Amino acid sequence: MARGAQFLERQTYRRRRMIDGARLLPVIGAIAFVMPILWRTDTTPGASTAHGGLYLFAIWFGLILAAFALSRRLRNVAGDGRVED
Amino acid sequence: MVPFKILVLVCLAYVIFLFLVAFVVENRARQGRARWLRAPIVYTLSLSIYCTAWTFYGAVGYAARSGLEFLTIYLGPTLVFVGWWWVLRKLVRIGKAQRVTSIADLISSRYGKSNLLGVIVTLLAVAGTTPYIALQLQSISLSFAVFAAETRPGWALPGRDATALWVAGGLVIFTILFGTRNLDANEQHHGIVTAIAVEAVVKLVALLAVGIFVVWVLADGPRGVFDLIEATDVAEWRLQPGRWAGLTFLSAAAILCLPRMFQVMVVENADERHLATASWAFPLYLALMSLFVVPIAVVGLLTMPEGSNPDLFVLTLPLSAGRGDLAMLAFLGGFSSATSMVIVAAIALATMVSNHIVVPLWLRMARVAGEVAPAAGYAGDVRRLVLRARRASIAGVLALGYAYFHFTGGSSALAAIGLIAFVGVAQALPALIGGIFWRGASRNGAAVGLCLGFGIWIYALFLPSFGPDGVIPADVMINGPFGIGWLRPQALFGSEGMDPLLHALFWSLLLNSGAFCLVSIFSFPTPLERLQGAQFVNVFDRAGGTRGWAHGVAEAEDLLVMAQRILGGDAAQGFFHAEAAAQGKAGFLPDTTPEFIEALERRLSASVGAATAHAMVGQIVGGSMISVEDLMAVANETAQIMEYSSRLEAKSEELIRTARQLREANEKLTKLSVQKDAFLSQISHELRTPMTSIRAFSEILRDGADLPLADRHKYAGIIQEEAIRLTRLLDDLLDLSVLENGQVTLHSTSANLHDLIDSALRSAGATAAGRDFAILRDPASEHVGLTTDTDRLTQVFINLVSNARKYCDAAHPELRIRVTERGADVEVDFIDNGSGIGKENQALIFEKFARLTDQTRAGGAGLGLAICREVMSKLGGTIAYLPGQGGAAFRVRLPRRRILPRGGSVAPGAHGAGQGPVAAQG
């Protein structure tokens, strides 16, 4: 892998963006999971366990799906590990 | 209703089944026939030991008490796995490259293989895991008690302690049997991993079955459950922001640091690509495990009698609904959760204890006692020792867990113990993450941070967990030790009002990582630390193409590609083909058996050296990083090769030099040959001119008998004159050739320079009366003592004086002779007042036959100055034309004392010829 090359093969470029996605996913997940903290303002009624649970599980399964999609593309990259950037 | 007897029987049957699974798999793995064992799904399922009995039973209780907060325990790991590209991938790669055996090993290895850190992390792990094991024992005995309570009298229920003891004993046997069968280089236990995967399926199925039963049988489907949730106490989500975020973080930290998780995640990992699957499959497993927790809790709260333990709803709900079979399944699920956790935790801890505490201690004691066995028996001895230490450690760990369970008597809330353990093991997080991402992280920093965090955890969380007046007196809890308020265990630095768990988590990790960073910044790591640090942090920059330990066709192909590069296409293909044929396979890709690898390595080492071959094959097959030893061996070989090549280089340089010398010699010879031709033609010309006139006049004499006598005399005189010229020319030539060939003997004598000049002037006829030729001298300066061949020197002087006399074209010719001493040398200048020699000719005058004016006037053969030059160089001096003196000027320079080297063999004739003054004379 030529480091510092400015223009990459299309495939390599896509793969790197996939890696970026894999790195971003936990950040998105963390923000979404912590979001319920913001709900507890006085203006809105206390969120119910049922609705909160639905929200959390929705995020959860969404993350699982996204991770599934990413892992299918990154599975083989993980083996050689040369693609760092 | 399930009779207790049947429960025990089923339980035993289940355990025997697990034994069988582990046994069969272990055997198949040894025969290398269990490819499916390495399937990513097995890896993912083995990770499920994160879900212990605490999850299985406790989550429902947790949900019944605090609503959705129980989810944080799963959200953290979900984030870690979804973000596998950040940390897990690197951890697994490092684990493979460094052949890490435990988290203590990883940290110790990262910080310069420091055993101190290994011991600290081991102690931390033991302290953090013991309560957890107690928790599992407690949950098993509690679940037994549930069934026993329903049983008919006559089947005496063993006491809770006795149950726990039986279970602990069984676990010890199972763990020792399958956990310490062999000392695998990579510490992988296929049998146990598979048994755990089976248990993972059992507990998931059990919990899902109970959940489905609760939702669709006890309640009216999802919609009904939704309404029920809205109707109960837990309907309002009393979310505490600090705990919500803090516990999510804590569980994320714990899944990285828990020894048992590290064991299955990193140590037992067979292929990095499995991580990609686990990145979504494990969160899915967690989500499924927690999917029905809230419904079970809600339905339990609504239907079960007041005061029943919510931790056991998973069991009691089916039981109360009369579904003994479902309760049995749930029991097996809980049993599986507890046992799998205990087994792996015991193995992980035993590895750590034996590797970092027992063996180092034993080695030190052996060294102290001077009993270190000779090298041959040493390895086997240590091997047995390690196995024994590991077995003892497993028993010890479980004994500790049992003791903890026995003495605390089992706290009421399972979750509390679990979270306390989490905070304890999370203390390893700064050292772990810092170690793999920050090269500057140092051993001292890690040690200080770990100790500080560990201490705060014990003081602020672990000891107070024994209850008021348990270990720490109530007075200290309220007023602080010695009345120091800001050291109160649950209000450090005046931070009152915090949740005790969050309080301990916050302060321990803050001070831990703070000390870790600061000490790391201000300390200087040892070379080994820095080397290891670079290898850990930059693990992806090297050792590309790591494929893990899996042997497959892909590897054989990689090996072939590599071998072709080294051996050449035909040779490599032939070798592979032969090996494949030997294995009974067609084609070019044999199975990568150890024999084949060894043969290949040997074959390659013939080309690139043993160490390099080992490293290259190892990179593809072992997926391991080159060890320092390998590198050093490579360096040695490289040094040898370099030495050899530098010798070759020196030789080739020598050859180049010789060739250049030969070329130069050849050029010189060619030039000499040209010179010789020129010389010969010059000589023939010089000889022919007098010969022509001699012939002409002798013919006139012969034919002209009637010539007057005067004419005859005149012609005979001319003939004689020419003959003399010829003789002189031949003498000069002879002299020059003798000088040039070095066949001259110099006779060293001492004389006064003044006398020599006198004699030269006399010989040259310069002092003869009637000659209009002024000689200007400074006699005072001429009195210089010389030791040299005075005859030869005089010859040079004569030549110079007579040249001046001959060629000086001034109206009143004069010759100035000037003598100057220059250090050890003396200079004699001969300067006339003629027109001198043109600049373009100055370089030529010392060449042979370089006569500037025409022959008649000069009357010499033009060899005089050439002879002078030769003489001077023989005397160790020089003769040079001195421009800018107002006339022709020659400077003779020679050393005052010179030990003259004896010349070579002297030709008989040359000797005599060399003696006389041969200068051109008028």
Side-chain angles (χ1 to χ4, degrees), chain B residues 874-893:
Chain B
K874 287 283 178 296
L875 296 182
T878 55
I879 179 166
Y881 183 76
L882 202 61
Q885 302 296 320
F890 291 88
R891 166 167 289 175
V892 174
R893 186 186 173 117

Side-chain angles (χ1 to χ4, degrees), chain A residues 19 23 33 49 71 75 78-79, chain B residues 85-86 234-235 244 272-273 546:
Chain A
I19 293 168
R23 286 180 170 150
F33 281 151
T49 297
S71 88
R75 206 173 121 76
Chain B
W85 198 266
W86 285 105
V234 294
W244 181 258
E272 266 175 55
R273 281 168 288 189
T546 306

Side-chain angles (χ1 to χ4, degrees), chain A residues 58-72:
Chain A
I59 297 290
W60 205 338
F61 282 106
L63 279 179
I64 290 167
L65 279 179
F68 176 71
L70 281 172
S71 88
R72 286 188 69 85

Side-chain angles (χ1 to χ4, degrees), chain A residues 19 23 25-26 29-30 33 36-37 40 47-54 56-57 60 64 68 71 75 78-79 81-82 84, chain B residues 68 71 74-75 78-79 82-83 85-86 89 226 230 234-235 237 239 241 244 272-273 276 280 283-284 287 290 544 546:
Chain A
I19 293 168
R23 286 180 170 150
L25 198 58
F33 281 151
I37 290 176
R40 296 190 67 256
S48 76
T49 297
H51 287 106
L54 279 184
L56 287 174
F57 274 101
W60 205 338
I64 290 167
F68 176 71
S71 88
R75 206 173 121 76
R82 284 182 195 221
E84 263 295 89
Chain B
L68 286 174
L71 277 180
Y74 308 101
L75 296 184
T78 297
L79 292 178
V82 162
W85 198 266
W86 285 105
R89 179 167 148 270
F226 195 85
E230 296 282 78
V234 294
W237 187 5
L239 184 141
W244 181 258
E272 266 175 55
R273 281 168 288 189
W280 59 268
L284 180 65
S290 37
T546 306

Side-chain angles (χ1 to χ4, degrees), chain B residues 188-207:
Chain B
Q188 293 188 328
H189 311 92
H190 303 298
I192 282 183
V193 167
T194 315
I196 284 166
V198 170
E199 290 193 299
V201 174
V202 170
K203 62 192 183 195
L204 182 63
V205 166
L207 202 57

Side-chain angles (χ1 to χ4, degrees), chain B residues 187-358:
Chain B
E187 295 292 342
Q188 293 188 328
H189 311 92
H190 303 298
I192 282 183
V193 167
T194 315
I196 284 166
V198 170
E199 290 193 299
V201 174
V202 170
K203 62 192 183 195
L204 182 63
V205 166
L207 202 57
L208 286 180
V210 173
I212 289 167
F213 171 75
V214 165
V215 171
W216 275 279
V217 178
L218 294 185
D220 311 328
R223 189 71 228 172
V225 169
F226 195 85
D227 295 338
L228 280 180
I229 295 173
E230 296 282 78
T232 51
D233 291 350
V234 294
E236 195 189 344
W237 187 5
R238 296 178 297 274
L239 184 141
Q240 296 170 269
R243 269 181 80 88
W244 181 258
L247 290 182
T248 306
F249 169 76
L250 178 61
S251 62
I255 199 163
L256 290 172
C257 300
L258 279 172
R260 65 172 196 276
M261 288 316 295
F262 192 89
Q263 177 79 26
V264 287
M265 209 159 59
V266 177
V267 181
E268 308 275 359
N269 175 284
D271 190 325
E272 266 175 55
R273 281 168 288 189
H274 293 178
L275 209 51
T277 307
S279 76
W280 59 268
F282 184 59
L284 180 65
Y285 186 94
L286 293 178
L288 292 178
M289 282 296 276
S290 37
L291 193 56
F292 292 112
V293 167
V294 173
I296 295 173
V298 167
V299 173
L301 281 175
L302 288 175
T303 58
M304 294 305 285
E306 197 74 17
S308 51
N309 186 354
D311 281 335
L312 294 171
F313 279 167
V314 177
L315 281 180
T316 49
L317 265 178
L319 272 181
S320 68
R323 293 297 300 268
D325 45 354
L326 200 57
M328 174 69 80
L329 186 61
F331 171 81
L332 282 185
F335 185 75
S336 297
S337 316
T339 51
S340 56
M341 177 271 162
V342 173
I343 290 165
V344 179
I347 289 179
L349 283 188
T351 307
M352 287 157 81
V353 169
S354 73
N355 283 3
H356 296 283
I357 296 178
V358 178

